[in-house]
Amino acid sequence: MAQDLSIDVQHLRKVYGTVVAVDDLTFSVPRGAVLGLLGGNGAGKTTTIAMLLGLLEPTGGDIHVLGIDMSKRRYAALPRMNFSSPYVDLPHRLTVRENLLFYGRLYGVKQLARRIDEIATHMQVAEFLDRQAGKLSAGQKTRVALAKALINKPDVLLLDEPTASLDPDTADWVRTYLKDYQRETGATILLASHNMSEVERLCDDVILLQTGRVFERGSPRELIERFGREDMEEVFLDMARGRGRGLDTLKKPEAAR
Ligand code: ATP
């Protein structure tokens, strides 16, 4: 695998019984890039992220993260990765601080107390560090989940709907924070999102997934141009509805290139 690739996925496949959730998915993400994974409900985004993290075993295909074969040595890569997902709840009875201590120790974070204070300030959760996680509002939980995702300053960050349930103002500064983090650290980010303005703002490259297969890929600007549309919202609607001006000139859903 090329040295400059943080994520390299080849012919990835996941079958649940009769459901093919991910079908021959091939993509790579260069170091320091932000890739958007877009698709309607059930397109296979969460399944892909779970396989990248080693939480789900692929039915077929290969995943390398930071040059490491995840099927053989994922424990060498995991300390340099992290994720946030609205589907993974933090332990409710633990306070926010206890949660961050737990995950910080899991990731072997040095000077953990200092790092917790730092990231809690950055994510604006410092004022409820000693509150139980289960007693936070949805938006506060999302910020805590992001603090957890950044606790080990990951080189590879997998974000599933990172601004879900945030108000527009908070979502906006979280996006700015993520962009700054990526620029300052050179981290690679894979972002699954239904928020198209977020995708336009953060992503260098986008994969449009439809029923587990790559439908289209390109930078947001390229896709908007190719579909003959104004923005990614319209591109997404074209894909979802299988119609639209842009589709006249579109290729058939392509296998991974
Ligand atoms: P959403 O935007 O709704 O979160 P998604 O793109 O993340 O969707 P996945 O959650 O990856 O989609 O699901 C992909 C497909 O796999 C769906 O058809 C889903 O019903 C199916 N699926 C996911 N998990 C399982 C499971 N444990 N058993 C059976 N089918 C599953």
Side-chain angles (χ1 to χ4, degrees), residues 68-142:
I68 295 162
D69 182 341
M70 295 300 277
S71 70
K72 297 197 176 100
R73 296 179 53 238
R74 72 167 171 270
Y75 292 104
L78 287 174
R80 295 172 61 194
M81 303 170 70
N82 209 326
F83 74 102
S84 83
S85 168
Y87 307 114
V88 180
D89 234 352
L90 297 171
H92 273 201
R93 294 216 178 156
L94 297 184
T95 65
V96 172
R97 189 189 305 277
E98 287 165 343
N99 265 290
L100 294 176
L101 276 169
F102 173 78
Y103 285 102
R105 285 186 191 129
L106 201 64
Y107 283 101
V109 174
K110 299 204 174 73
Q111 299 188 298
L112 182 54
R114 186 189 293 185
R115 177 64 184 150
I116 289 174
D117 284 341
E118 182 181 60
I119 196 63
T121 305
H122 289 179
M123 283 297 123
Q124 298 183 9
V125 299
E127 64 188 280
F128 39 81
L129 268 177
D130 294 311
R131 199 181 301 170
Q132 286 184 341
K135 296 198 171 140
L136 300 174
S137 76
Q140 289 165 342
K141 279 184 192 162
T142 301

Side-chain angles (χ1 to χ4, degrees), residues 16 19 21 40-47 87 194:
Y16 298 105
V19 178
N41 293 133
K45 305 176 295 292
T46 302
T47 302
Y87 307 114
H194 291 301

Side-chain angles (χ1 to χ4, degrees), residues 4-22:
D4 58 346
L5 294 183
S6 274
I7 302 175
D8 189 24
V9 168
Q10 296 288 330
H11 305 294
L12 190 63
R13 185 172 165 83
K14 181 69 188 177
V15 180
Y16 298 105
T18 55
V19 178
V20 182
V22 173

Side-chain angles (χ1 to χ4, degrees), residues 23-43:
D23 191 8
D24 197 22
L25 180 60
T26 293
F27 67 89
S28 56
V29 193
R31 264 178 222 270
V34 182
L35 175 75
L37 208 51
L38 271 57
N41 293 133

Side-chain angles (χ1 to χ4, degrees), residues 175-239:
R175 287 175 200 131
T176 305
Y177 185 89
L178 289 172
K179 196 75 191 167
D180 290 348
Y181 175 79
Q182 183 264 327
R183 278 200 200 110
E184 280 161 24
T185 63
T188 304
I189 299 179
L190 189 140
L191 171 79
S193 179
H194 291 301
N195 185 308
M196 295 304 124
S197 61
E198 176 165 289
V199 167
E200 279 177 39
R201 173 136 163 231
L202 294 181
C203 297
D204 303 302
D205 223 344
V206 167
I207 287 181
L208 297 178
L209 268 187
Q210 200 172 48
T211 52
R213 294 184 72 86
V214 175
F215 181 77
E216 268 293 336
R217 65 175 73 191
S219 69
R221 188 184 293 232
E222 282 164 358
L223 289 173
I224 290 164
E225 210 167 286
R226 212 176 296 161
F227 278 67
R229 292 296 183 183
E230 292 291 313
D231 54 31
M232 283 301 296
E233 186 87 26
E234 293 183 356
V235 170
F236 187 93
L237 289 175
D238 275 350
M239 173 180 72

